[in-house]
Amino acid sequence: MTRAIRMETHGGPEVLQLREVDIGSPDAGQVLVGQTACGVNFLDVYHRTGAYPLPLPGGCGSEAAGTVEAVGAGVTAFSIGDRVAYQGGEPGSYAQKRILPAARLVKVPDGVTDEQAAAVLLKGMTVEYLLNRCVDLKSGDFALMYAAAGGVGLLAGQWAKHRGIRLIGVAAGAAKCAKALANGYEVVIDRNSEDVLARIREITGGKGVPVVFDSIGKATFTTSIDCLAPRGILVSFGATSGPPPPVEASLLQKKGSLYFTRPTLATYAVSPEEYAASSGEVFAMVANFALRPEIGQRYPLADAAKAHEDLEAGRTSGSTILIP
């Protein structure tokens, strides 16, 4: 038996309920992990609300770290006592213990704590594919990133600084803007008091930016399109305000032969080789202090609903973790 957050229906944060569940023992190819930290991501909100529907009843959460407690037949890559982490796969990471396919796990290297691993893996791999593989950004290029003081945003600022990319951030309020600036952004626009499009034109001398990374969706779509330079790319990788509207081909033409993509980490880590390479690069960046995951909030596992409330209300900064 273990304690885990379960959902009977889709809905608000209140559907996240702490339950005692029987998880059994690992079968062939599986590993039992005693979890020490569980990452909280906006993806979990989409799963909870049904924006990305899940079979129910079921669990919530896509990321955690801990220690191997048992291995099933045929598992040779991991041993009892190994420190491991994972992201993706079937939701259900909000739990004290979990049985997972061995192929989903990666070892946590020395120099990276369990809390850091749970806070950084999914978000860090997201930043890795966005900045390294989704678009062709070179040192000195401008790019725009929304939610600059969020979990992905702060890591993106550090990663961009490491690569020499001149990342412009958008955040809400002076405190969040200052935090983003301290994490590698060249300029941060305060959406509470500044016009994003006007500031982009000012910063770029009217040219616009070659890439916009938009995790907001519906509320920022038009501004994102207008901020782009001719032949620019809108990378829509989130929808915290709701999904972006359908994109008409004629709009992309009229606005300057633009490109639109709606990527997902699952596609950029679809093979075991890609998964291992991306996660390995993230952990190497943390171990070498090029990437410093900021854990802004820690909640007991039983307070998962409160964590979701704060995340949706914009009361969080950096990464959020649950402590089982």
Side-chain angles (χ1 to χ4, degrees), residues 1-286:
M1 302 295 292
T2 191
R3 296 201 311 163
I5 296 294
R6 304 288 288 176
M7 299 188 299
E8 300 293 328
T9 63
H10 294 298
E14 69 280 356
V15 305
L16 301 176
Q17 297 291 319
L18 187 65
R19 297 281 188 262
E20 291 281 339
V21 297
D22 186 355
I23 59 172
S25 301
D27 291 330
Q30 293 183 328
V31 173
L32 172 64
V33 179
Q35 304 192 148
T36 54
C38 311
V40 177
N41 298 279
F42 221 94
L43 174 64
D44 308 343
V45 174
Y46 300 150
H47 287 154
R48 191 204 76 224
T49 61
Y52 298 170
L54 297 175
L56 294 176
C60 188
S62 301
E63 175 181 42
T67 302
V68 173
E69 295 188 354
V71 298
V75 175
T76 59
F78 300 97
S79 302
I80 293 173
D82 284 347
R83 295 173 56 238
V84 295
Y86 66 91
Q87 67 81 24
E90 181 181 352
S93 67
Y94 296 179
Q96 288 181 319
K97 298 178 186 290
R98 197 172 182 207
I99 293 176
L100 297 143
R104 200 75 228 164
L105 298 174
V106 293
K107 290 185 179 180
V108 178
D110 293 340
V112 179
T113 69
D114 287 7
E115 288 194 356
Q116 286 177 322
V120 78
L121 189 58
L122 189 151
K123 299 176 186 69
M125 289 177 66
T126 297
V127 171
E128 184 278 322
Y129 91 76
L130 288 175
L131 295 185
N132 286 4
R133 293 183 285 146
C134 185
V135 293
D136 183 20
L137 281 169
K138 298 178 177 62
S139 180
D141 285 345
F142 276 116
L144 177 64
M145 173 71 71
Y146 283 92
V152 168
L154 292 181
L155 295 175
Q158 297 170 33
W159 204 297
K161 183 76 170 180
H162 182 73
R163 285 197 48 204
I165 298 166
R166 304 174 71 185
L167 203 56
I168 303 167
V170 178
K176 289 190 174 184
C177 288
K179 187 178 291 293
L181 280 171
N183 279 270
Y185 284 85
E186 179 148 327
V187 181
V188 182
I189 301 167
D190 187 345
R191 65 178 176 84
N192 287 351
S193 59
E194 298 181 282
D195 182 282
V196 173
L197 178 57
R199 288 287 285 125
I200 288 296
R201 288 175 174 166
E202 177 187 344
I203 293 164
T204 64
K207 296 178 181 179
V209 292
V211 180
V212 174
F213 296 105
D214 189 339
S215 60
I216 308 302
K218 181 178 180 180
T220 51
F221 176 80
T222 299
T223 299
S224 293
I225 287 285
D226 290 341
C227 284
L228 285 167
R231 293 182 290 178
I233 305 171
L234 173 52
V235 181
S236 174
F237 71 100
T240 59
S241 68
V247 180
E248 296 182 6
S250 60
L251 174 67
L252 300 178
Q253 176 193 20
K254 292 174 184 176
K255 291 291 186 176
S257 301
L258 305 179
Y259 298 84
F260 176 85
T261 183
R262 179 75 175 167
T264 174
L265 173 57
T267 308
Y268 280 84
V270 67
S271 70
E273 294 78 15
E274 287 174 325
Y275 186 83
S278 182
S279 61
E281 185 161 0
V282 170
F283 282 152
M285 292 272 283
V286 176

